[in-house]
Short mmCIF file of all heavy atoms in Angstrom, two decimals:
data_model
loop_
_atom_site.label_atom_id
_atom_site.label_comp_id
_atom_site.label_asym_id
_atom_site.label_seq_id
_atom_site.Cartn_x
_atom_site.Cartn_y
_atom_site.Cartn_z
N ALA A 395 95.57 105.77 90.77
CA ALA A 395 94.85 105.93 92.04
C ALA A 395 95.80 105.75 93.22
O ALA A 395 95.70 106.47 94.23
CB ALA A 395 93.70 104.93 92.11
N ARG A 396 96.70 104.80 93.10
CA ARG A 396 97.67 104.56 94.19
C ARG A 396 98.59 105.77 94.36
O ARG A 396 98.86 106.21 95.49
CB ARG A 396 98.49 103.31 93.90
CG ARG A 396 99.50 102.98 95.00
CD ARG A 396 100.35 101.76 94.68
NE ARG A 396 99.51 100.60 94.45
CZ ARG A 396 99.32 100.03 93.25
NH1 ARG A 396 99.92 100.53 92.18
NH2 ARG A 396 98.54 98.99 93.13
N ARG A 397 99.08 106.31 93.24
CA ARG A 397 99.96 107.47 93.33
C ARG A 397 99.24 108.65 93.98
O ARG A 397 99.82 109.37 94.82
CB ARG A 397 100.46 107.87 91.94
CG ARG A 397 101.51 106.92 91.36
CD ARG A 397 102.17 107.54 90.14
NE ARG A 397 101.23 107.78 89.06
CZ ARG A 397 100.92 106.88 88.13
NH1 ARG A 397 101.46 105.67 88.18
NH2 ARG A 397 100.07 107.19 87.17
N LEU A 398 97.99 108.86 93.60
CA LEU A 398 97.23 109.96 94.19
C LEU A 398 97.13 109.82 95.70
O LEU A 398 97.30 110.79 96.45
CB LEU A 398 95.82 110.01 93.59
CG LEU A 398 95.64 110.66 92.23
CD1 LEU A 398 94.20 110.51 91.77
CD2 LEU A 398 96.02 112.14 92.29
N LEU A 399 96.82 108.61 96.15
CA LEU A 399 96.61 108.40 97.58
C LEU A 399 97.92 108.40 98.35
O LEU A 399 98.04 109.08 99.38
CB LEU A 399 95.87 107.07 97.80
CG LEU A 399 95.55 106.73 99.25
CD1 LEU A 399 94.57 107.74 99.84
CD2 LEU A 399 94.98 105.32 99.35
N VAL A 400 98.90 107.66 97.85
CA VAL A 400 100.14 107.46 98.61
C VAL A 400 101.09 108.64 98.50
O VAL A 400 101.66 109.10 99.49
CB VAL A 400 100.84 106.16 98.15
CG1 VAL A 400 102.18 105.99 98.85
CG2 VAL A 400 99.93 104.96 98.40
N GLU A 401 101.25 109.16 97.27
CA GLU A 401 102.24 110.21 97.06
C GLU A 401 101.66 111.61 97.24
O GLU A 401 102.36 112.51 97.69
CB GLU A 401 102.85 110.07 95.66
CG GLU A 401 103.60 108.75 95.45
CD GLU A 401 104.12 108.61 94.03
OE1 GLU A 401 104.16 109.63 93.29
OE2 GLU A 401 104.47 107.47 93.65
N GLU A 402 100.40 111.79 96.87
CA GLU A 402 99.81 113.13 96.95
C GLU A 402 98.80 113.27 98.09
O GLU A 402 98.28 114.36 98.32
CB GLU A 402 99.13 113.47 95.62
CG GLU A 402 100.08 113.44 94.42
CD GLU A 402 99.38 113.83 93.13
OE1 GLU A 402 98.45 114.66 93.19
OE2 GLU A 402 99.76 113.29 92.07
N GLU A 403 98.49 112.15 98.75
CA GLU A 403 97.52 112.15 99.84
C GLU A 403 96.18 112.74 99.39
O GLU A 403 95.50 113.44 100.14
CB GLU A 403 98.06 112.89 101.06
CG GLU A 403 99.32 112.24 101.64
CD GLU A 403 99.78 112.93 102.92
OE1 GLU A 403 99.17 113.95 103.30
OE2 GLU A 403 100.76 112.45 103.52
N PHE A 404 95.81 112.43 98.14
CA PHE A 404 94.54 112.89 97.60
C PHE A 404 93.51 111.79 97.76
O PHE A 404 93.70 110.66 97.31
CB PHE A 404 94.68 113.25 96.11
CG PHE A 404 93.37 113.67 95.48
CD1 PHE A 404 92.96 114.99 95.52
CD2 PHE A 404 92.55 112.74 94.83
CE1 PHE A 404 91.77 115.39 94.94
CE2 PHE A 404 91.35 113.13 94.26
CZ PHE A 404 90.96 114.46 94.32
N HIS A 405 92.39 112.13 98.40
CA HIS A 405 91.32 111.15 98.57
C HIS A 405 90.01 111.89 98.85
O HIS A 405 89.93 112.71 99.78
CB HIS A 405 91.63 110.20 99.74
CG HIS A 405 90.51 109.25 100.06
ND1 HIS A 405 90.07 108.30 99.18
CD2 HIS A 405 89.73 109.14 101.17
CE1 HIS A 405 89.08 107.62 99.73
NE2 HIS A 405 88.84 108.11 100.93
N VAL A 406 89.01 111.63 98.04
CA VAL A 406 87.66 112.16 98.29
C VAL A 406 86.89 111.11 99.07
O VAL A 406 86.72 109.98 98.60
CB VAL A 406 86.94 112.48 96.97
CG1 VAL A 406 85.54 113.05 97.26
CG2 VAL A 406 87.74 113.44 96.13
N PRO A 407 86.43 111.41 100.26
CA PRO A 407 85.76 110.39 101.09
C PRO A 407 84.52 109.83 100.41
O PRO A 407 83.82 110.52 99.67
CB PRO A 407 85.40 111.16 102.37
CG PRO A 407 86.34 112.32 102.39
CD PRO A 407 86.57 112.69 100.97
N LEU A 408 84.25 108.56 100.67
CA LEU A 408 83.09 107.90 100.09
C LEU A 408 81.78 108.59 100.47
O LEU A 408 80.86 108.67 99.65
CB LEU A 408 83.05 106.44 100.55
CG LEU A 408 83.67 105.41 99.62
CD1 LEU A 408 83.68 104.06 100.32
CD2 LEU A 408 82.90 105.33 98.31
N ALA A 409 81.69 109.06 101.69
CA ALA A 409 80.45 109.73 102.12
C ALA A 409 80.15 110.91 101.23
O ALA A 409 78.98 111.18 100.89
CB ALA A 409 80.57 110.16 103.58
N GLU A 410 81.20 111.64 100.82
CA GLU A 410 81.00 112.78 99.93
C GLU A 410 80.61 112.30 98.53
O GLU A 410 79.69 112.84 97.92
CB GLU A 410 82.28 113.61 99.86
CG GLU A 410 82.19 114.80 98.91
CD GLU A 410 83.48 115.59 98.83
OE1 GLU A 410 84.32 115.46 99.76
OE2 GLU A 410 83.66 116.33 97.85
N LEU A 411 81.30 111.29 98.02
CA LEU A 411 80.97 110.78 96.69
C LEU A 411 79.54 110.25 96.63
O LEU A 411 78.82 110.47 95.65
CB LEU A 411 81.95 109.67 96.30
CG LEU A 411 83.39 110.10 95.99
CD1 LEU A 411 84.27 108.86 95.82
CD2 LEU A 411 83.44 110.96 94.74
N CYS A 412 79.13 109.55 97.67
CA CYS A 412 77.79 108.95 97.68
C CYS A 412 76.69 110.00 97.80
O CYS A 412 75.54 109.73 97.45
CB CYS A 412 77.67 107.94 98.82
SG CYS A 412 78.63 106.42 98.57
N ARG A 413 77.04 111.17 98.29
CA ARG A 413 76.04 112.20 98.54
C ARG A 413 75.76 113.05 97.29
O ARG A 413 74.64 113.48 97.06
CB ARG A 413 76.51 113.11 99.67
CG ARG A 413 75.50 114.17 100.08
CD ARG A 413 76.06 115.09 101.15
NE ARG A 413 77.14 115.94 100.65
CZ ARG A 413 78.42 115.84 100.99
NH1 ARG A 413 78.81 114.92 101.84
NH2 ARG A 413 79.33 116.67 100.50
N VAL A 414 76.78 113.30 96.46
CA VAL A 414 76.62 114.29 95.40
C VAL A 414 75.95 113.68 94.16
O VAL A 414 76.09 112.48 93.88
CB VAL A 414 77.98 114.91 95.00
CG1 VAL A 414 78.62 115.57 96.19
CG2 VAL A 414 78.91 113.87 94.38
N GLY A 415 75.21 114.52 93.44
CA GLY A 415 74.56 114.12 92.21
C GLY A 415 75.34 114.56 90.99
O GLY A 415 76.48 115.05 91.09
N ARG A 416 74.72 114.43 89.82
CA ARG A 416 75.43 114.66 88.56
C ARG A 416 75.99 116.07 88.45
O ARG A 416 77.17 116.24 88.10
CB ARG A 416 74.48 114.38 87.39
CG ARG A 416 75.12 114.51 86.01
CD ARG A 416 74.13 114.22 84.91
NE ARG A 416 73.60 112.87 85.04
CZ ARG A 416 74.19 111.79 84.54
NH1 ARG A 416 75.33 111.90 83.88
NH2 ARG A 416 73.63 110.60 84.69
N ALA A 417 75.18 117.08 88.68
CA ALA A 417 75.63 118.46 88.45
C ALA A 417 76.84 118.80 89.31
O ALA A 417 77.84 119.33 88.81
CB ALA A 417 74.48 119.43 88.71
N GLU A 418 76.75 118.49 90.61
CA GLU A 418 77.86 118.80 91.50
C GLU A 418 79.08 117.98 91.17
O GLU A 418 80.22 118.48 91.20
CB GLU A 418 77.43 118.56 92.95
CG GLU A 418 78.46 118.99 93.97
CD GLU A 418 77.98 118.82 95.41
OE1 GLU A 418 76.78 118.51 95.60
OE2 GLU A 418 78.80 118.99 96.33
N PHE A 419 78.88 116.72 90.84
CA PHE A 419 80.01 115.84 90.50
C PHE A 419 80.75 116.37 89.27
O PHE A 419 81.98 116.49 89.27
CB PHE A 419 79.49 114.43 90.25
CG PHE A 419 80.55 113.42 89.87
CD1 PHE A 419 81.27 112.76 90.85
CD2 PHE A 419 80.83 113.15 88.54
CE1 PHE A 419 82.25 111.83 90.51
CE2 PHE A 419 81.80 112.23 88.18
CZ PHE A 419 82.51 111.57 89.17
N GLN A 420 80.01 116.69 88.21
CA GLN A 420 80.65 117.10 86.96
C GLN A 420 81.27 118.49 87.04
O GLN A 420 82.14 118.83 86.24
CB GLN A 420 79.65 117.02 85.81
CG GLN A 420 79.24 115.58 85.49
CD GLN A 420 78.25 115.48 84.35
OE1 GLN A 420 77.52 116.43 84.06
NE2 GLN A 420 78.21 114.33 83.71
N ALA A 421 80.81 119.32 87.99
CA ALA A 421 81.37 120.66 88.14
C ALA A 421 82.59 120.69 89.05
O ALA A 421 83.24 121.74 89.18
CB ALA A 421 80.30 121.60 88.70
N ASP A 422 82.95 119.58 89.65
CA ASP A 422 84.06 119.55 90.60
C ASP A 422 85.38 119.80 89.86
O ASP A 422 85.71 119.09 88.90
CB ASP A 422 84.11 118.19 91.30
CG ASP A 422 84.97 118.20 92.55
OD1 ASP A 422 86.11 118.70 92.48
OD2 ASP A 422 84.51 117.72 93.59
#
Side-chain angles (χ1 to χ4, degrees):
R396 181 182 303 109
R397 287 193 298 272
L398 280 175
L399 181 65
V400 176
E401 298 176 15
E402 301 182 33
E403 298 185 356
F404 177 87
H405 175 64
V406 181
L408 265 173
E410 178 181 341
L411 289 172
C412 289
R413 184 183 68 249
V414 301
R416 183 180 301 274
E418 186 177 352
F419 179 86
Q420 292 180 336
D422 196 311

